[in-house]
């Protein structure tokens, strides 16, 4: 094959350099088309469960296809010459594609598997202490289980001490169970049987998390300390495994991290609950895809502007606004009223949108303002035209009413 130069973005080049160690795999014609995933003296591209590792998935299914696209754009003549060349079968991940609606079930399944491993050998009657998901995963990464908690709590050489909310980072009174022989300290809620944290007896035994450049940038942007970042996967209140990958999303005290267990790597940090989505998900789509719903504004001024954008007239009538549509209702016999100072209900704006939908057939969440002004009402799911009114007819009707 003739060597060709390819111009690529700096970010793409940098990421390829980071993943180059995953590239020494070749296509082989052996008992059918297949890829050799066991190259000599090269890292395995599969994780501990035998699935394609996230970095390998990114390299083979995101970066390389992007390179191919750039090659096609920059070398059209060469691409035309290669059209008839045999094309090897693509590497397929062993992970089963999971529909989006099945992701919550997959989360529950993985949570059950983790709990079975964590509580192995401990009868149900002795599982009296609640363990946060992050603490549970942190212990399993150290090959520790629930039985160790019981060992520390019941050991004669365990030292118990108390801390007030002002003395610790947990914001509540806690009881510490320290055992130098076993080598760990348990932090329990003083007012409930909850395990808030498990930490080594010696500070230098803390797990050495590795932060990517993206995670370091996120940490600086959010103003977090390395101690706080370390606490997120260790003391997380919520856990979100990402099906089909080795990644897990952890949520703690308003922040989330994306974590990979292979080298204790924190990939990214964000504020708020993580937006969980299965990257391999294949949702079933039927009919026409519905557009994202528009949020109905909850302040009077913004709602008034939205209504006027859709061709409604909004006039003051006593303590209410009278809402009419001269095109959708040429006779102006229909109207919707909404309070000028809607302080009686937090759902007043949604009630107004529902009244408009019932009176004029117009769903403000999905309707196109251009259609509304033209007198066109569409089905919010299929986009099919349900009714159509003529502005000329509306003006003619208003003129007839004025003459009479």
């Amino acid at each position: 094959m003739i060597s060709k130069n390819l111009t690529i973005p700096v970010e793409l080049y940098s990421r390829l350099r980071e993943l180059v160690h995953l590239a020494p795999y070749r296509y082989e014609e052996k008992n059918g088309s297949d890829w050799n995933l066991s190259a000599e003296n090269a890292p395995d591209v599969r994780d501990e469960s035998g699935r394609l590792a996230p970095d390998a998935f990114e390299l083979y299914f995101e970066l390389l296809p992007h390179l191919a696209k750039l090659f096609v754009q920059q070398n059209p003549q060469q691409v035309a010459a290669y059209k008839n060349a045999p094309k090897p079968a693509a590497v397929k991940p062993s992970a089963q594609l999971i529909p989006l609606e099945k992701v919550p079930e997959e989360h529950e399944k993985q949570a059950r598997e983790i709990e079975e491993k964590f509580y192995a050998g401990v009868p149900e009657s002795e599982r009296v202490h609640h363990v946060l998901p992050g603490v549970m995963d942190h212990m399993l990464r150290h090959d520790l289980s629930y039985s160790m908690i019981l060992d520390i709590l019941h050991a004669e050489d365990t030292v118990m001490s108390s801390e007030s909310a002002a003395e610790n980072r947990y914001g509540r009174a806690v009881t510490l169970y320290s055992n130098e022989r076993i080598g760990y300290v348990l932090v329990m809620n003083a007012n409930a049987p909850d395990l808030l944290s498990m930490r080594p007896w010696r500070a230098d035994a803390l797990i050495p998390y590795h932060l990517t450049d993206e995670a370091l940038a996120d940490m600086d942007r959010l103003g977090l300390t390395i101690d706080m970042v370390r606490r997120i996967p260790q003391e997380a209140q919520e856990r979100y495994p990402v099906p089909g990958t080795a990644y897990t999303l952890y949520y703690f005290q308003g922040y989330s991290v994306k974590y990979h267990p292979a080298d204790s790597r924190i990939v990214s940090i964000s504020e708020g609950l993580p937006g969980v989505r299965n990257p391999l998900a294949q949702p079933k789509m039927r009919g026409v895809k519905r557009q994202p719903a528009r949020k109905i504004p909850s302040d009077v001024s913004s709602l008034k502007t939205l209504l006027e954008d859709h061709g409604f007239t909004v006039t003051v009538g006593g303590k209410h606004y009278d809402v009419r549509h001269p095109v959708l209702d040429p006779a102006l016999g229909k109207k919707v009223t909404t309070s000028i100072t809607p302080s009686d209900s937090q759902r007043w704006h949604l009630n107004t949108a529902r009244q408009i939908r019932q009176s004029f057939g117009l769903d403000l969440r999905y309707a196109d303002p251009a259609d509304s002004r033209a007198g066109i009402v569409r089905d919010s799911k299929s986009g099919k035209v349900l009714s159509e009114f003529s502005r000329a007819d509306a003006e003619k009707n208003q003129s007839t009413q004025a003459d009479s």
Side-chain angles (χ1 to χ4, degrees):
M1 181 179 293
I2 300 175
S3 176
K4 291 292 178 182
N5 293 327
L6 188 62
T7 302
I8 64 175
V10 175
E11 297 82 1
L12 177 58
Y13 175 76
S14 299
R15 187 57 179 152
L16 286 171
R17 290 288 300 272
E18 293 175 358
L19 301 180
V20 69
H21 64 286
L22 297 175
Y25 303 95
R26 61 185 183 280
Y27 175 75
E28 291 182 347
E29 188 70 28
K30 183 185 296 183
N31 297 326
S33 300
D34 203 357
W35 284 85
N36 179 6
L37 296 180
S38 57
E40 187 176 355
N41 299 324
D44 196 337
V45 295
R46 291 161 291 193
D47 59 21
E48 58 274 8
S49 63
R51 298 175 178 177
L52 194 66
D55 284 345
F57 186 92
E58 178 186 3
L59 175 65
Y60 286 105
F61 289 92
E62 295 179 8
L63 301 185
L64 292 184
H66 186 50
L67 281 177
K69 182 178 180 180
L70 292 175
F71 183 87
V72 169
Q73 294 173 348
Q74 299 178 26
N75 300 276
Q77 295 180 348
Q78 284 71 27
V79 171
Y82 298 151
K83 277 188 176 180
N84 296 324
K87 299 177 178 62
V91 178
K92 297 181 180 179
S94 58
Q96 183 179 1
L97 299 183
I98 302 172
L100 281 177
E101 63 270 16
K102 297 292 184 181
V103 171
E105 296 180 14
E106 184 69 15
H107 285 171
E108 293 178 5
K109 177 183 176 182
Q110 293 189 34
R112 286 195 299 270
E113 292 174 353
I114 292 172
E115 290 180 1
E116 288 176 3
K117 184 177 180 180
F118 182 70
Y119 291 107
V122 179
E124 289 277 355
S125 59
E126 297 184 19
R127 304 176 186 179
V128 295
H129 301 282
H130 175 254
V131 183
L132 293 174
V135 179
M136 188 181 300
D137 289 3
H138 177 59
M139 292 181 65
L140 287 174
R141 286 194 285 271
H142 287 269
D143 296 323
L144 303 175
S145 65
Y146 188 82
S147 60
M148 191 215 69
I149 298 174
L150 299 179
D151 291 342
I152 293 178
L153 293 175
H154 298 153
E156 293 182 358
D157 56 343
T158 293
V159 178
M160 186 174 67
S161 59
S162 299
E163 287 183 354
S164 66
E167 294 177 296
N168 60 59
R169 66 190 189 187
Y170 304 100
R172 68 190 77 183
V174 300
T175 303
L176 306 179
Y177 295 85
S178 308
N179 192 295
E180 185 176 7
R181 174 179 54 83
I182 298 177
Y184 288 95
V185 178
L186 303 180
V187 183
M188 306 290 294
N189 188 337
N191 301 312
D194 297 335
L195 177 60
L196 304 178
S197 177
M198 186 282 304
R199 59 178 186 248
W201 175 271
R202 295 184 3 256
D204 59 359
L206 289 171
I207 185 170
Y209 288 105
H210 302 286
L211 276 67
T212 64
D213 292 341
E214 179 183 355
L216 289 171
D218 291 339
M219 186 176 72
D220 292 339
R221 175 175 56 83
L222 297 171
L224 300 177
T225 63
I226 187 64
D227 181 61
M228 178 60 185
V229 172
R230 184 186 291 115
R231 291 181 63 192
I232 298 175
Q234 290 183 2
E235 304 173 19
Q237 299 151 326
E238 301 289 343
R239 173 209 302 122
Y240 301 94
V242 182
T245 76
Y247 289 118
T248 301
L249 303 176
Y250 290 106
Y251 173 75
F252 176 73
Q253 292 190 359
Y255 296 97
S256 303
V257 301
K258 186 177 182 181
Y259 175 82
H260 192 285
D263 54 357
S264 301
R265 176 160 40 100
I266 293 177
V267 179
S268 61
I269 311 168
S270 59
E271 194 169 8
L273 281 168
V276 183
R277 184 184 184 276
N278 178 8
L280 300 180
Q282 299 293 318
K284 295 181 179 179
M285 304 299 293
R286 295 185 177 90
V288 179
K289 182 178 179 181
R290 175 190 275 200
Q291 296 299 315
R294 179 187 297 106
K295 185 177 180 180
I296 304 299
S298 57
D299 63 284
V300 176
S301 177
S302 298
L303 181 60
K304 183 173 179 289
T305 300
L306 175 63
L307 293 171
E308 292 173 343
D309 288 344
H310 281 271
F312 288 94
T313 60
V314 183
T315 57
V316 178
K319 295 183 178 180
H320 294 81
Y321 282 120
D322 292 336
V323 182
R324 294 182 172 87
H325 203 296
V327 180
L328 295 178
D329 177 38
L332 297 179
K334 301 176 183 178
K335 74 173 182 178
V336 169
T337 60
T338 183
S339 176
I340 294 178
T341 57
S343 59
D344 56 336
S345 172
Q346 295 181 351
R347 294 179 54 85
W348 70 271
H349 56 300
L350 302 179
N351 294 335
T352 300
R354 186 182 68 253
Q355 292 179 48
I356 287 178
R357 188 164 63 250
Q358 293 172 345
S359 300
F360 299 96
L362 194 67
D363 194 334
L364 293 175
R365 298 170 301 173
Y366 300 101
D368 185 339
D371 284 344
S372 304
R373 292 193 298 270
I376 300 173
V377 177
R378 299 181 185 272
D379 181 81
S380 60
K381 292 184 178 179
S382 66
K384 180 181 178 181
V385 176
L386 299 178
S387 56
E388 187 169 359
F389 302 85
S390 168
R391 177 173 291 276
D393 291 341
E395 294 174 350
K396 180 179 178 181
N397 184 73
Q398 291 176 8
S399 176
T400 302
Q401 290 179 344
D403 292 342
S404 62

